[in-house]
Amino acid sequence: MLTQTLTLGSLLLVSLLPCLASGRNSSQFLNPILPGFHPDPSCTFISDEETFYCASSSFNAFPGIPIHASKDLTTWRLVGNVLNRESQLPELAVSVGGTSGIWAPTLRLRDGTWYLVTTMVHDKKAADDPTRWRNIIFTTRDIWNEGSWSDAAHFDFEGYDTSPFWDDDGTSYIVGSHAYKVEPGNHLAKVNLTTGELQSNWTNLWAGTGGLAPEGPHLYRKDGFYYLMIAEGGTGLGHMETIARSKNLYGPYEPNSANPILTNANTTEYFQTIGHADLFQDAYGKWWSVALSTRGGPSFKVYPMGRETVLTNATWDEGAWPVIHSPVRGVMTGWPLPETGQYLPGDGPLVDQGDNDLRFPPSCQLPPHFLHWRPPIEGNYVISPPGHRNYLGLKPSKLNLTGIDGNSAPGGQTFVGRRQVDTLFTYRVVLDYAPKEAHEEAGVTLFLTQNHHVRLGLTLLAASNTSATFTPHFRFMTEPYSSAAPPFSAPVPDSLQNTSLTLEIKAVNETHFSFAAGRADSEELAIVAHAPGDVVSWGFTGTLVGVYATSNGGNGTEMAYVSHWTYKGEGQTRSNSSPATTLVGKEGVLAVDYLPA
Ligand SMILES: *[C@@H]1O[C@H](CO)[C@@H](O)[C@H](O)[C@H]1NC(C)=O
Ligand SMILES: *[C@@H]1O[C@H](CO)[C@@H](O)[C@H](O)[C@H]1NC(C)=O
Ligand SMILES: *[C@@H]1O[C@H](CO)[C@@H](O)[C@H](O)[C@H]1NC(C)=O
Ligand SMILES: *[C@@H]1O[C@H](CO)[C@@H](O)[C@H](O)[C@H]1NC(C)=O
Ligand SMILES: *[C@@H]1O[C@H](CO)[C@@H](O)[C@H](O)[C@H]1NC(C)=O
Ligand SMILES: *[C@@H]1O[C@H](CO)[C@@H](O)[C@H](O)[C@H]1NC(C)=O
Ligand SMILES: *[C@@H]1O[C@H](CO)[C@@H](O)[C@H](O)[C@H]1NC(C)=O
Ligand SMILES: *[C@@H]1O[C@H](CO)[C@@H](O)[C@H](O)[C@H]1NC(C)=O
Ligand SMILES: *[C@@H]1O[C@H](CO)[C@@H](O)[C@H](O)[C@H]1NC(C)=O
Ligand SMILES: *[C@@H]1O[C@H](CO)[C@@H](O)[C@H](O)[C@H]1NC(C)=O
């Protein structure tokens, strides 16, 4: 049994690896391996370190492009975020639209340097606007030191999902996708990966098998062939992975007659939208594939966690095409897994770890898994402000969570959250807040994007529509409007006035969330509203839970104080037939210790 300790200021998080009933070298594992908002995975195995590393995409979230590492393909620790300083990529601050920001990254190590190649997409710009696609390279020689990642080096390419490749002679290339302006397909150019300088024009290698949006290309060199593996069909129910190969880098590429080589399309599987895969080998030479997937079955209606990272085993015999195991399911059998419990450096949280009553003591920083929507407004997040030791002080932004129009938020929004990583969970904070100006508001949110979120706040509203007196109200709303959960406001009951409150968001089942409030000094909470999960099932991202503060465009400047931040996973659903179960103590799943503070 291994005990890992993560110290954040005075706060202590303890996670325990359960005793493994069957010992290791079991070949059973559970999906998703990176639950919650972790789309477009790119993974690689570093044999010297016997460590697997994965990057995933982050859209407008900041810090962005999380890297996770594992020794056993089961326990994944947050190594850091590639994008951790606004100055690395200032234009993220002005991105417009919930599907904008950082799209699919590819992570590779070459001669001691890590390369992270990706695209900053301004998705609301016209398809033929060359500034829509901003292709970039980040590098570091020390992946465990997130501050060492370089600023973005730009390279010219009007497309996305860019991925580096080195030929036998060491020449570096990038392959990327065009679905729009030029001919759809996967294009190759010689690129200096340090400077981003193009050293050739772009050549379309292969447009796929005819599916929608050929994208997510990766090139592999094996047994005298160049293999070009891509995704097609769009990132919805038709998503699939296809492959072609050639003896020459520039083709012609011959498609595999067995395409698609990975898909759950046209099945009733709980895991859908499988695609955007990467391939890598473990220390025993066994092949594995990661891909993105959405849980919720083929109805594809409620999938709040969005696109998550799943694992499946593969076989790639000499001279033969790779075969990737499908269908992808929640409980899988693959190759013998490396021994678990091996030491991983770093002090980041595990991907499925909860937050146990977090405080914000003086001199601590926000934990590395906390996220803002775009780079944060400097100074709006104050740790242990005067009179509120161990609290996080939130200064209100003018803009609320909707922002200008659901898409843009120039100047920024005061919001901080973390990923939902469990089908069922309870999220709670203590909020100490006394709004003083009309319409200023602070509260909790289940946040997918500016135009898809749910929020419950405390605000000051007119006592009636003819009154000039403003009194504290709860206000609940969904964006967009949902007839199943219409917005409302209601006066805060006397018993909840002038006291710290506990605010709670809970996934009560696979399809619904409840929002509740109560006195912080009591265990009793009253449910204020329910929200259907389809409100936050949209686009490319996954839900975050967190807190916000805003003047709603008014004059408010009152700080809101937050503490006792708790996120507790209460179960994962991994198939149509099995309801959410808390697999604490089962093989491969971390038990999150929930000691009362
Ligand atoms: C697990 O399997 C690998 C490969 O078969 C072997 O090298 C290793 O010693 C095994 N580990 C344990 C703990 O049995
Ligand atoms: C890439 O650019 C750097 C910096 O100018 C240079 O030192 C390096 O030689 C270039 N590499 C190639 C392959 O051209
Ligand atoms: C790219 O193509 C243009 C036009 O065909 C040509 O003039 C140019 O030399 C090419 N650039 C490189 C780097 O090959
Ligand atoms: C799923 O079925 C549709 C309709 O028959 C077909 O067009 C599509 O190619 C199928 N997709 C896959 C990946 O098999
Ligand atoms: C995946 O692993 C299982 C169990 O070892 C094996 O039966 C299956 O053939 C493998 N699939 C592929 C595609 O390698
Ligand atoms: C949120 O902000 C938008 C844009 O400023 C504004 O139109 C809307 O009324 C605000 N919402 C509330 C509840 O005040
Ligand atoms: C004021 O509130 C009353 C009762 O809630 C409602 O019937 C009326 O329409 C409101 N008037 C305005 C101008 O909104
Ligand atoms: C809360 O405090 C305000 C300001 O002191 C006061 O006006 C109000 O009556 C108090 N509310 C309750 C329920 O005590
Ligand atoms: C999920 O919870 C909601 C809200 O309580 C309820 O209306 C719905 O019937 C529940 N669904 C199932 C399948 O139990
Ligand atoms: C903000 O303050 C100004 C000046 O006191 C006032 O005119 C205005 O109505 C206030 N705005 C709001 C939304 O309360």
Side-chain angles (χ1 to χ4, degrees):
M1 181 174 280
L2 173 84
T3 303
Q4 288 144 347
T5 306
L6 163 67
T7 312
L8 297 163
S10 71
L11 144 88
L12 199 65
L13 285 179
V14 180
S15 58
L16 302 172
L17 272 174
C19 295
L20 302 176
S22 54
R24 201 51 178 183
N25 268 354
S26 148
S27 52
Q28 197 186 77
F29 60 96
L30 299 172
N31 275 319
I33 54 164
L34 300 181
F37 174 26
H38 295 106
D40 306 319
S42 169
C43 302
T44 186
F45 177 68
I46 304 307
S47 50
D48 298 352
E49 304 173 28
E50 295 201 11
T51 304
F52 302 90
Y53 290 91
C54 293
S56 43
S57 57
S58 51
F59 297 83
N60 290 318
F62 185 92
I65 322 176
I67 306 279
H68 289 88
S70 179
K71 292 275 190 185
D72 59 10
L73 287 169
T74 306
T75 311
W76 291 90
R77 183 184 293 292
L78 180 62
V79 172
N81 297 285
V82 174
L83 189 49
N84 55 77
R85 307 180 303 278
E86 180 172 358
S87 57
Q88 286 172 286
L89 185 67
E91 62 188 277
L92 181 64
V94 295
S95 86
V96 177
T99 57
S100 289
I102 298 292
W103 283 23
T106 300
L107 178 68
R108 298 288 186 257
L109 175 67
R110 175 86 184 180
D111 297 336
T113 297
W114 285 95
Y115 296 86
L116 189 294
V117 180
T118 187
T119 318
M120 161 77 222
V121 181
H122 295 284
D123 210 22
K124 289 282 177 184
K125 293 191 178 184
D128 62 353
D129 181 340
T131 64
R132 176 178 176 144
W133 315 108
R134 305 281 289 153
N135 278 287
I136 48 184
I137 306 165
F138 297 97
T139 53
T140 182
R141 293 184 69 84
D142 182 5
I143 198 168
W144 287 94
N145 172 9
E146 74 169 15
S148 69
W149 282 100
S150 68
D151 291 349
H154 290 255
F155 62 97
D156 273 336
F157 178 58
E158 288 182 47
Y160 58 99
D161 291 6
T162 43
S163 172
F165 173 74
W166 291 264
D167 205 351
D168 298 340
D169 64 0
T171 307
S172 55
Y173 296 83
I174 285 178
V175 60
S177 306
H178 271 295
Y180 305 94
K181 190 183 174 188
V182 192
E183 43 189 314
N186 297 282
H187 297 243
L188 184 78
K190 209 185 284 188
V191 182
N192 182 321
L193 295 177
T194 307
T195 60
E197 182 204 348
L198 287 192
Q199 294 168 329
S200 78
N201 286 318
W202 292 94
T203 302
N204 195 353
L205 298 184
W206 185 48
T209 64
L212 182 73
E215 60 191 0
H218 295 303
L219 272 166
Y220 307 93
R221 181 89 170 117
K222 190 173 183 295
D223 311 327
F225 287 100
Y226 296 90
Y227 286 86
L228 176 57
M229 186 168 82
I230 68 166
E232 297 184 52
T235 194
L237 291 177
H239 211 196
M240 59 184 175
E241 200 67 17
T242 60
I243 195 164
R245 70 181 182 184
S246 176
K247 293 266 185 196
N248 302 303
L249 179 56
Y250 279 89
Y253 279 80
E254 170 212 356
N256 183 356
S257 61
N259 283 329
I261 56 169
L262 176 66
T263 188
N264 274 15
N266 300 325
T267 70
T268 58
E269 295 293 330
Y270 189 63
F271 288 75
Q272 290 285 332
T273 75
I274 309 265
H276 201 110
D278 202 355
L279 278 165
F280 53 92
Q281 243 172 327
D282 67 18
Y284 316 128
K286 292 294 191 186
W287 286 91
W288 298 89
S289 177
V290 284
L292 72 79
S293 173
T294 316
R295 280 185 279 173
S299 63
F300 202 42
K301 288 238 156 49
V302 180
Y303 48 94
M305 286 180 282
R307 303 176 307 151
E308 308 175 283
T309 293
V310 293
L311 179 71
T312 184
N313 62 307
T315 297
W316 199 349
D317 292 333
E318 192 172 347
W321 295 96
V323 180
I324 307 181
H325 198 80
S326 68
V328 173
R329 293 196 165 135
V331 181
M332 306 252 329
T333 306
W335 308 128
L337 289 156
E339 208 174 323
T340 197
Q342 297 178 70
Y343 176 76
L344 267 178
D347 58 5
L350 302 174
V351 69
D352 48 3
Q353 194 163 336
D355 296 324
N356 180 15
D357 197 20
L358 295 196
R359 316 288 169 84
F360 302 90
S363 83
C364 88
Q365 293 182 323
L366 292 182
H369 64 297
F370 274 34
L371 298 169
H372 305 281
W373 203 240
R374 305 191 186 86
I377 310 172
E378 275 307 310
N380 274 20
Y381 307 84
V382 188
I383 306 255
S384 278
H388 277 86
R389 195 182 172 86
N390 297 333
Y391 277 72
L392 171 63
L394 300 174
K395 291 185 188 164
S397 50
K398 282 261 178 208
L399 292 176
N400 58 35
L401 288 175
T402 306
I404 296 291
D405 50 4
N407 287 305
S408 54
Q413 296 159 299
T414 301
F415 161 75
V416 64
R418 56 149 294 147
R419 290 170 176 84
Q420 177 189 349
V421 295
D422 302 272
T423 311
L424 302 185
F425 70 89
T426 297
Y427 169 72
R428 279 186 184 177
V429 290
V430 165
L431 176 70
D432 189 357
Y433 180 54
K436 298 221 164 36
E437 287 282 338
H439 305 295
E440 67 178 332
E441 176 176 341
V444 290
T445 179
L446 175 69
F447 185 91
L448 186 80
T449 58
Q450 288 168 239
N451 58 5
H452 287 82
H453 67 264
V454 188
R455 59 199 201 220
L456 172 65
L458 189 62
T459 183
L460 214 54
L461 297 178
S464 76
N465 59 9
T466 55
S467 168
T469 311
F470 281 76
T471 57
H473 282 65
F474 284 120
R475 177 156 55 193
F476 171 84
M477 66 177 296
T478 70
E479 192 81 69
Y481 173 83
S482 164
S483 59
F488 67 87
S489 56
V492 175
D494 284 357
S495 64
L496 300 186
Q497 281 188 30
N498 302 333
T499 183
S500 293
L501 298 179
T502 295
L503 296 182
E504 181 194 87
I505 305 173
K506 189 181 183 72
V508 293
N509 58 30
E510 276 99 344
T511 57
H512 283 77
F513 298 86
S514 65
F515 287 71
R519 290 178 68 93
D521 57 10
S522 153
E523 286 296 299
E524 275 172 46
L525 296 182
I527 290 181
V528 177
H530 280 102
D534 57 1
V535 171
V536 285
S537 302
W538 176 83
F540 299 157
T541 59
T543 40
L544 312 175
V545 286
V547 292
Y548 68 93
T550 176
S551 65
N552 275 312
N555 296 325
T557 57
E558 193 63 22
M559 204 183 260
Y561 303 95
V562 170
S563 196
H564 299 278
W565 169 296
T566 296
Y567 171 95
K568 185 180 182 193
E570 289 166 342
Q572 294 285 17
T573 301
R574 300 184 203 271
S575 78
N576 290 311
S577 54
S578 75
T581 46
T582 305
L583 290 165
V584 172
K586 293 260 177 70
E587 178 171 359
V589 175
L590 282 162
V592 177
D593 186 31
Y594 244 71
L595 296 172

